[in-house]
Amino acid sequence: MSIDQGTFESLVPSRFTTFTFPNPSSSSSLSPNPLHTPLLRVAVLDSPTQPTTPLIAAMLVPTHRESDWTFSTHSGHLLLLLASHHHHHISRLILIGNLPSSPHPTPYTRPIQSLSHIQDALTPLLLALSPKSSFQHGLPEIPFLDYEDDLIRSAVVDTCVGSCVGEMSVEDVELEGRGFRRRLRFKRMPNLIQTQVKIVPIDRSSDVGFAGLGDLGLFRLDMGSLVQPYLGPMVASLSVIGSCLERRVRDGFRLKALCLGVGGGALVTFLNDQLGFEVVGVEADEVVLTVARKYFGLRESKFVRVCVGDGIRLVQQIAGQGENANCDSLSDCFGVKLDSIFDVIMVDLDSSDARMGTMAPPLEFVEKSVLRAARLVVSDHGILVINVIPPSRSFYEKLVSELQEFFVELYEIDVGNGENFVFIATASPVETDSSDSENSFLTKLKLAINGEFLDSIRKI
């Protein structure tokens, strides 16, 4: 596309522009040169909220990740800008990378090289893309932001499209110091990992070479541990009502969990396999469930049932508050009566709107009618557990306030990744039981998850 000379002279909130530009570093004798294509892809995004003092920043797209959704989509660019706001109030973020050779992600191996000479060659381009307001005190300093993650290698196993979540990708990755993972990502939230499970080479004695990553026959799933950062804390929340759960088990009852949001099914599988729960899961997108069965080890049984549906609406229907509830079809679908109550409801739902940044739960879950219904669906000794990614302090405070209206006590676990919290809302005052050392449920729980999460539960 042709770009008007004055296009970038002013800042326009949320404006996104992409174009190609001749590579000014391609003739450099220095090598290796990560910017190797004759034409570069340049993407310019102005922040939705403009700070008083303009700050322009740039980022080089990692080589061989040019087709990665994080770097090739508007929403990915926006999430990079929003993430950088933790450290800089950026007015305009400029991404520069090779022109993708393919629209599909290619196998990636982290390069090791210095980029300083490349950055110097790009300075004139960056100055030309800076608004007039940034030159008030002379030539602006335009920092290059580092994109750092622990990804060593990656290979795409499959891509598919769901009716609700849109395009998704299954990837096998090798992480620095943490072995191999299988991940599910959605294009609508490009740098958010929706699901990940541990995978282990079947033949531990041989090195899985570059070409082997992504070969399903070389790996097996390890479902005995939870590697998604917030899932361990979600399971740790069960210790808050450990005494009640132990008593239920001793009285001959099977513990029951309702999971809103199934994803790859790691939480559903873990609750059943490791802790003996009967689990009902509801997932909005049928293709996600197909992917979970094919690649992430989700297995349905007498005590693990999953169904396609709107989890929020289901809770309202079970509580008897839904309008036009088709009780018979729901009952048939889930194999449970709609008047069922659960020991625990676990909520792992995020907003589908990338403009909000990463946010969980979605705004519709925080409505009073939904939280009231959730309280009715949880037993009197039970808990509501929510994965929370607050986009703002006001969202966090509103969620706390609304939960305290319908639940007796509220607890929190800080996941420790700078993003997620787990909220635990109890239907009744928490019992303190001095005989926890004899509690076989708690013993099983402590063996199943990282003990530090059990010790980091704090009352709000």
Side-chain angles (χ1 to χ4, degrees):
M1 64 177 289
S2 70
I3 301 292
D4 184 86
Q5 188 172 353
T7 297
F8 300 105
E9 289 184 356
S10 59
L11 293 160
V12 179
S14 297
R15 181 176 61 187
F16 179 64
T17 310
T18 64
F19 58 94
T20 57
F21 190 82
N23 186 349
S25 68
S26 60
S27 60
S28 170
S29 60
L30 295 171
S31 107
N33 185 351
L35 296 182
H36 53 76
T37 56
L39 289 177
L40 300 178
R41 177 185 181 270
V42 181
V44 183
L45 177 65
D46 289 350
S47 174
T49 56
Q50 286 294 330
T52 308
T53 304
L55 173 63
I56 314 306
M59 183 181 291
L60 293 179
V61 176
T63 309
H64 300 308
R65 292 180 70 175
E66 294 88 359
S67 298
D68 188 310
W69 293 331
T70 300
F71 304 105
S72 66
T73 63
H74 180 189
S75 53
H77 197 145
L78 175 61
L79 291 169
L80 288 171
L81 187 149
L82 293 173
S84 66
H85 265 293
H86 292 302
H87 309 288
H88 316 271
H89 292 291
I90 293 173
S91 309
R92 174 174 290 169
L93 179 60
I94 303 167
L95 292 190
I96 301 175
N98 295 309
L99 206 58
S101 57
S102 162
H104 304 293
T106 54
Y108 164 77
T109 299
R110 181 197 291 170
I112 302 173
Q113 55 204 351
S114 170
L115 300 176
S116 58
H117 62 288
I118 306 295
Q119 295 172 359
D120 291 342
L122 294 173
T123 297
L125 172 61
L126 296 178
L127 289 172
L129 295 175
S130 298
K132 283 183 175 180
S133 57
S134 64
F135 290 86
Q136 292 172 354
H137 306 291
L139 287 179
E141 288 284 332
I142 304 176
F144 275 85
L145 304 183
D146 292 324
Y147 182 81
E148 294 182 355
D149 58 13
D150 57 357
L151 186 65
I152 296 175
R153 295 189 290 164
S154 69
V156 174
V157 173
D158 197 5
T159 58
C160 48
V161 180
S163 59
C164 290
V165 305
E167 195 172 346
M168 67 190 92
S169 173
V170 179
E171 303 167 0
D172 282 358
V173 302
E174 182 180 2
L175 304 178
E176 191 168 12
R178 293 193 290 147
F180 299 95
R181 303 282 188 268
R182 180 161 298 151
R183 290 175 164 176
L184 176 65
R185 293 199 298 148
F186 297 163
K187 186 175 183 178
R188 71 181 191 193
M189 301 295 277
N191 58 359
L192 180 69
I193 300 162
Q194 296 288 337
T195 288
Q196 60 180 329
V197 295
K198 187 176 182 180
I199 55 174
V200 180
I202 292 173
D203 183 0
R204 288 178 176 269
S205 62
S206 64
D207 178 48
V208 178
F210 178 79
L213 195 65
D215 184 338
L216 299 181
L218 297 180
F219 293 90
R220 64 173 178 83
L221 297 169
D222 177 0
M223 305 302 290
S225 58
L226 294 168
V227 293
Q228 189 77 337
Y230 60 86
L231 291 186
M234 288 186 79
V235 174
S237 67
L238 296 168
S239 65
V240 171
I241 54 168
S243 299
C244 294
L245 296 178
E246 171 72 3
R247 194 159 53 247
R248 293 272 295 164
V249 172
R250 287 182 179 175
D251 289 344
F253 294 100
R254 182 176 284 272
L255 303 177
K256 293 177 65 175
L258 173 63
C259 293
L260 306 185
V262 174
L267 180 61
V268 169
T269 300
F270 192 88
L271 288 172
N272 176 251
D273 284 358
Q274 306 296 322
L275 298 173
F277 273 80
E278 176 181 350
V279 188
V280 173
V282 57
E283 170 58 50
D285 198 309
E286 186 170 8
V287 179
V288 172
L289 289 182
T290 300
V291 167
R293 296 179 185 111
K294 185 173 182 180
Y295 297 112
F296 291 91
L298 177 64
R299 303 181 312 278
E300 288 147 281
S301 66
K302 180 180 178 182
F303 297 116
V304 176
R305 291 184 289 276
V306 295
C307 192
V308 178
D310 182 333
I312 293 174
R313 183 167 174 261
L314 174 73
V315 167
Q316 292 178 307
Q317 290 177 339
I318 296 176
Q321 297 183 3
E323 295 180 5
N324 304 316
N326 187 342
C327 298
D328 291 337
S329 64
L330 276 169
S331 181
D332 291 343
C333 181
F334 282 92
V336 295
K337 295 179 180 178
L338 277 182
D339 61 359
S340 292
I341 58 174
F342 295 86
D343 300 289
V344 57
I345 300 177
M346 294 206 170
V347 182
D348 185 11
L349 302 171
D350 58 65
S351 169
S352 60
D353 189 350
R355 292 170 300 177
M356 302 290 291
T358 308
M359 180 179 80
L363 287 173
E364 52 265 37
F365 187 83
V366 189
E367 293 176 7
K368 290 182 187 292
S369 61
V370 176
L371 295 177
R372 183 185 298 113
R375 170 59 192 92
L376 292 171
V377 174
V378 168
S379 66
D380 288 339
H381 64 266
I383 52 174
L384 171 68
V385 180
I386 311 171
N387 172 37
V388 180
I389 306 175
S392 64
R393 185 69 193 177
S394 60
F395 177 90
Y396 177 98
E397 290 170 352
K398 175 180 170 59
L399 182 54
V400 168
S401 173
E402 299 289 9
L403 285 168
Q404 288 176 333
E405 183 174 340
F406 297 102
F407 291 83
V408 175
E409 294 179 3
L410 188 58
Y411 295 82
E412 174 193 86
I413 303 175
D414 185 342
V415 174
N417 61 355
E419 186 170 71
N420 298 75
F421 298 88
V422 170
F423 278 8
I424 310 155
T426 72
S428 301
V430 170
E431 298 178 18
T432 53
D433 192 339
S434 58
S435 63
D436 278 352
S437 58
E438 301 168 15
N439 186 321
S440 60
F441 177 82
L442 280 178
T443 301
K444 189 186 296 185
L445 184 64
K446 290 172 182 175
L447 289 172
I449 60 167
N450 189 332
E452 70 179 82
F453 295 130
L454 296 169
D455 299 329
S456 60
I457 300 173
R458 73 171 192 94
K459 190 172 184 179
I460 297 178

